[in-house]
Amino acid sequence: MLAARTSNARCVKRIARSFATVVDAAGVKVAAVDRNQPTASVTLFIKAGTRFETKEGVANALKNFAFKTTANRSSIGTVRESELYGGLLYSTLDREHLALTAEFLRADAPYFVDVLTSFVTSAVFTRHEFEEVVAPLVASDTAAAAHNPAARAIDIAHNLAFRSGLGSSLFAPEHSKITVDDIKSFATATFSKNNVAVVGTGIDQATLSNLVEKGFAKAKADATATSAPASKYFGGETRLGGHGGPQTAFIGFGTTAAASAELAVLAAHLSPVPSVKWSKGLSPLSSLPQGTSVTPVNLTYSDASLFGLLVQGSTAEGVKEAGTAVVAALKAAAKGIAPEVFTSAVAKAKFAAASATDTREGVIAALGSKIFSTTPGTLDASLSSLEAVSATAFSKAAATLIAAKPTYVTIGDAQLPFADELGL
Amino acid sequence: MFGPVGLSLAPYVRSSRTLSKWIAPVATWYANASGYRKYGFKYDDLLVEETDEVQRALKRLTPAESYDRAFRLKRASQASVLHKPLEKSEWIKPEEDVRYLVPHIENVMKEVDERRAWDDLKVERK
């Protein structure tokens, strides 16, 4: 028993150490975590999210331009060669970063790192590729988001909460006027070494640094890192018709304070997901009306965060009932909750933080969100910051959060409740 | 070889100073004599366009280029109806007669060839 525990502790320490190493390879920040997985992944984070975009939708277009023709290989060459190696290539976009990821067998790292870096150093943005391949992808992203009420609600909530900067939509407008020259100038402005960070999993730090150094040998470093004006929180209410899908309401609050452990605990406290299957759980939102669901959303950015609850249901009445319960639970949390409930919320938040770093996506997200600003903390550090949350700090954080003007979005029928009907 | 862009000795001729000195005047005379410029055509308007490759290349023209191309084709068919070349002021001047389509066709052909190469690729295990 004791032996098991000590070996476990050693293992945790080893992971914690390898979790935090960030080195500079030729001006590019590189972090790697190797847990001896059979496959490896490399993600390039570029500060080219929608926050920095110069024209609506250009960041989304740039995301869809990933892995197209570069000076090294054509787009069909990239696809076919990656297929021969059996790897995966994909690009994702959030409000602050564009992330290009390759997943591959450990031995094929040189090829895949070259695919990623050559897009940053030598992409040729051709007009015909934009018109033939990229523009339809941009349009389909927009169409898919329009039919997903949850994605749409959160996107619009950002716009209400932060207006410009973080408020810009992740998707291009339906009738966008983006040209390939816009994309090219956005890429030239953002693709410089001080705007790029590399996160690897299943790959050795030294190997990755070497490959990155080789890939960025000819890259420019003169451009200053992109920056955007500091975020400001506004809030507001909007109601939109839905294109099918469940009735949706988003009740959110934003803050421009640093990401806090208190909000993570609040999200864990309000999450109605039971710990045991087929049970209702002990969350204050455990007895929702039939057919409705509540999902806590805690999105943290470098200088702001948006905390909210996404209420979805098959009928507007159900959403109204669930929404009222959500607002009541938020207000109760601001007044203070029972100590045993608080302890279990902290434990739940700790488990969520720890289990997120078990998966590749979790590791990449945890490293990527912090790699530009600070050296990413260890898992231990984030767990101890959750542990340090006191019941009074928790209720105080909840109270300050809901004192701000709410960000309220409904998508669906006209009968969906207004903010004041929920007690906001 | 039998594609829209056939074999051409032009690059070789252009690379040699002596040859181009001899051949260029004949080529200029021939291009003028063939008369397409009198009907307001550029040489690339005459390429066979009924193939997938050229159709794809045509889509890659800028909107202004494809508008001008359509205009030249219409103006020439009107001239053909009238059995008369255009007014001399409307003739295409030799310096306007640029190969605006061929670079696109060559790119498309290159892509087609690359796709074929990848399709027929034999993978060897090292």
Side-chain angles (χ1 to χ4, degrees), chain B residues 33-95:
Chain B
S34 55
Y36 64 88
R37 288 175 184 163
K38 291 182 193 172
Y39 281 82
F41 277 126
K42 294 184 179 181
Y43 185 73
D44 276 1
D45 297 338
L46 309 177
L47 297 181
V48 176
E49 65 168 83
E50 286 84 2
T51 63
D52 291 344
E53 289 85 7
V54 182
Q55 286 302 315
R56 251 171 76 195
L58 283 173
K59 281 194 197 124
R60 295 185 182 185
L61 296 175
T62 60
E65 279 171 341
S66 39
Y67 179 90
D68 289 351
R69 177 185 161 91
F71 173 73
R72 287 193 300 271
L73 295 182
K74 280 196 173 168
R75 186 174 57 178
S77 12
Q78 173 66 8
S80 161
V81 168
L82 299 175
H83 298 288
K84 198 171 82 178
L86 300 173
E87 293 293 319
K88 196 162 184 188
S89 60
E90 292 187 322
W91 291 5
I92 292 292
K93 293 177 196 74
E95 63 273 16

Side-chain angles (χ1 to χ4, degrees), chain A residues 209-260:
Chain A
S209 301
N210 253 336
L211 292 172
V212 167
E213 228 162 282
K214 215 183 286 166
F216 282 105
K218 282 178 282 173
K220 64 183 176 111
D222 50 315
T224 46
T226 47
S227 62
S231 299
K232 224 176 140 202
Y233 177 70
F234 294 92
E237 177 176 354
T238 193
R239 306 167 63 77
L240 298 160
H243 309 290
Q247 307 295 321
T248 303
F250 178 78
I251 303 160
F253 298 91
T255 153
T256 46
S260 70

Side-chain angles (χ1 to χ4, degrees), chain A residues 378-405:
Chain A
T378 58
L379 176 60
D380 285 351
S382 65
L383 290 188
S384 59
S385 77
L386 285 170
E387 225 159 89
V389 175
S390 70
T392 46
F394 167 78
S395 55
K396 204 178 145 218
T400 21
L401 186 75
I402 65 169
K405 189 180 174 192

Side-chain angles (χ1 to χ4, degrees), chain A residues 23-260:
Chain A
V23 297
D24 240 18
V28 180
K29 289 199 177 73
V30 177
V33 182
D34 190 0
R35 290 176 186 164
N36 293 320
Q37 307 99 311
T39 63
S41 85
V42 172
T43 303
L44 237 65
F45 281 96
I46 306 160
K47 267 175 129 181
T50 48
R51 183 177 187 169
F52 307 104
E53 74 186 5
T54 43
K55 197 171 174 182
E56 268 182 288
V58 74
N60 188 285
L62 184 60
K63 177 204 99 174
N64 285 312
F65 236 117
F67 313 118
K68 299 288 175 293
T69 306
T70 66
N72 297 6
R73 49 182 81 75
S74 68
S75 75
I76 186 182
T78 310
V79 172
R80 294 294 174 93
E81 210 171 340
S82 305
E83 275 176 359
L84 289 178
Y85 283 113
L88 277 179
L89 297 170
Y90 52 90
S91 58
T92 48
L93 179 71
D94 67 24
R95 279 159 214 285
E96 297 195 310
H97 306 129
L98 167 66
L100 308 174
T101 307
E103 292 182 18
F104 45 85
L105 294 168
R106 291 175 81 101
D108 305 329
Y111 166 73
F112 283 97
V113 174
D114 183 54
V115 166
L116 295 176
T117 53
S118 67
F119 177 64
V120 175
T121 55
S122 67
V124 245
F125 297 97
T126 53
R127 196 167 49 86
H128 70 265
E129 259 179 337
F130 174 65
E131 275 159 18
E132 289 169 15
V133 188
V134 178
L137 290 175
V138 173
S140 88
D141 270 2
T142 308
H147 287 86
N148 179 352
R152 205 166 147 224
I154 291 173
D155 204 52
I156 289 159
H158 277 87
N159 190 249
L160 283 177
F162 304 110
R163 299 193 182 172
S164 57
L166 285 175
S168 12
S169 169
L170 287 177
F171 311 101
E174 215 165 315
H175 303 285
S176 74
K177 295 195 181 66
I178 310 164
T179 65
V180 75
D181 293 321
D182 297 330
I183 304 171
K184 212 183 277 180
S185 61
F186 182 58
T188 335
T190 51
F191 284 4
S192 67
K193 276 199 256 181
N194 21 16
N195 260 339
V196 177
V198 184
V199 173
T201 63
I203 186 167
D204 176 41
Q205 171 91 53
T207 321
L208 182 59
S209 301
N210 253 336
L211 292 172
V212 167
E213 228 162 282
K214 215 183 286 166
F216 282 105
K218 282 178 282 173
K220 64 183 176 111
D222 50 315
T224 46
T226 47
S227 62
S231 299
K232 224 176 140 202
Y233 177 70
F234 294 92
E237 177 176 354
T238 193
R239 306 167 63 77
L240 298 160
H243 309 290
Q247 307 295 321
T248 303
F250 178 78
I251 303 160
F253 298 91
T255 153
T256 46
S260 70

